[in-house]
Amino acid sequence: MQSGSIYVPRDEKFTGASPQNLYVTFWYAGRKSRLWTRGVIGVAGFAAGSLLAARFGWSDTLLPGVVVGALAALADFLVAWRSFTRTAVWRGSRRGEVRTGRLLRRALTRHGYRVMDGRAVPGEASIDHLVIGPGGVWIVDNEAWSPDTYIARYGERLFFDEKFGTSVAKGLIDAASTLAALLARETDIDVAIVPVLAAHSGKIEGRGGTVTAEGLTVAYPHRVARWIRSQPNGSLTEEQVELLARTAARILRGTALRRR
């Protein structure tokens, strides 16, 4: 027997559709509902602004009401739009590694950090970003999950919904260990490399949009640079940063950034 319920007729327009396409379909289908809600919020804001103006004895109560109502409606629009744009990488309309690389360079370069993109660690999986700076060395990878995926730590274990995060963590930890050994051998600088995973979409159940378990930190892309600066894993001089960066550029093969 074919999969599906015999009591519920199959909707052919959704048959074979990917989760990403279904998400976009339902998002646009809910446009009228969002506009209705936004209108109610705007009216409530108008009423609140007018009441405040009357309470403080302002002669013009209309303008404050219009301003507060418009700001309330704008805030609702921005919240809704942000929730949609956060799924862009998961939907395939943006490249996660491009976005994260831009955020890392914008936040870290002025503080003496070097950011290198698309590097292949010998014998290990390729990494999206290598960050070297005064606070130490990190590797940063990118992944995207569906918007309703919960990423959390329970005890000492990392979870993506009901699935253990062990396999995800192990690949990055192995790449970090191999790269640390290579850099130490080539430069005589003993470094510990910390793996970080930038999560595009999904819901991270952790303080400040980050969670750490099983040797791996998972964070929203816009939180990664701030986390790196707040969690130094060493102390490197400017000369050491330069030597490590030049050595990494020499021994690590560049790879084409993969689409996420």
Side-chain angles (χ1 to χ4, degrees):
M1 180 168 46
Q2 294 180 347
S3 61
S5 172
I6 62 174
Y7 303 105
V8 180
R10 180 174 297 180
D11 193 334
E12 294 298 332
K13 68 181 179 180
F14 295 136
T15 302
S18 69
Q20 290 85 350
N21 288 337
L22 287 176
Y23 178 87
V24 173
T25 299
F26 287 123
W27 169 265
Y28 285 110
R31 182 173 180 270
K32 289 184 178 179
S33 176
R34 290 194 301 275
L35 289 176
W36 171 260
T37 301
R38 192 163 302 136
V40 171
I41 290 174
V43 170
F46 174 82
S50 299
L51 288 174
L52 283 173
R55 172 68 176 80
F56 288 103
W58 296 351
S59 58
D60 186 359
T61 60
L62 180 62
L63 181 60
V66 171
V67 171
V68 173
L71 290 176
L74 177 62
D76 179 72
F77 167 77
L78 292 176
V79 169
W81 183 247
R82 183 173 181 271
S83 70
F84 182 69
T85 55
R86 280 186 57 191
T87 67
V89 175
W90 175 68
R91 290 184 283 109
S93 62
R94 294 185 66 181
R95 297 181 63 175
E97 62 274 20
V98 173
R99 182 190 176 205
T100 301
R102 186 181 299 118
L103 290 170
L104 290 173
R105 279 185 285 274
R106 184 184 302 163
L108 295 176
T109 301
R110 65 178 181 271
H111 297 290
Y113 287 77
R114 305 290 187 88
V115 180
M116 305 169 64
D117 298 327
R119 298 290 159 172
V121 180
E124 303 291 345
S126 61
I127 56 176
D128 289 340
H129 316 284
L130 174 64
V131 179
I132 305 173
V137 184
W138 293 261
I139 60 172
V140 182
D141 210 40
N142 295 272
E143 286 293 348
W145 289 271
S146 62
D148 57 352
T149 299
Y150 281 89
I151 305 169
R153 170 179 176 169
Y154 296 101
E156 299 301 319
R157 303 298 298 271
L158 179 64
F159 284 86
F160 298 91
D161 277 342
E162 295 84 9
K163 297 180 180 179
F164 292 134
T166 305
S167 59
V168 177
K170 185 179 184 303
L172 290 176
I173 292 171
D174 289 348
S177 298
T178 300
L179 179 54
L182 283 173
L183 290 177
R185 186 180 65 197
E186 295 288 332
T187 64
D188 291 327
I189 301 174
D190 189 17
V191 294
I193 300 180
V194 177
V196 185
L197 185 62
H200 300 265
S201 195
K203 300 177 182 177
I204 298 178
E205 297 295 307
R207 184 178 180 182
T210 63
V211 62
T212 300
E214 301 190 47
L216 176 66
T217 293
V218 184
Y220 293 127
H222 65 279
R223 297 282 187 178
V224 173
R226 184 184 304 176
W227 185 89
I228 285 175
R229 291 198 62 211
S230 68
Q231 302 286 331
N233 68 320
S235 180
L236 299 174
T237 65
E238 185 176 345
E239 292 74 18
Q240 289 176 320
V241 170
E242 175 66 22
L243 176 58
L244 287 169
R246 284 192 287 105
T247 303
R250 176 172 56 83
I251 65 176
L252 300 182
R253 178 172 52 86
T255 63
L257 291 176
R258 59 191 184 280
R259 185 177 182 84
R260 295 227 192 235

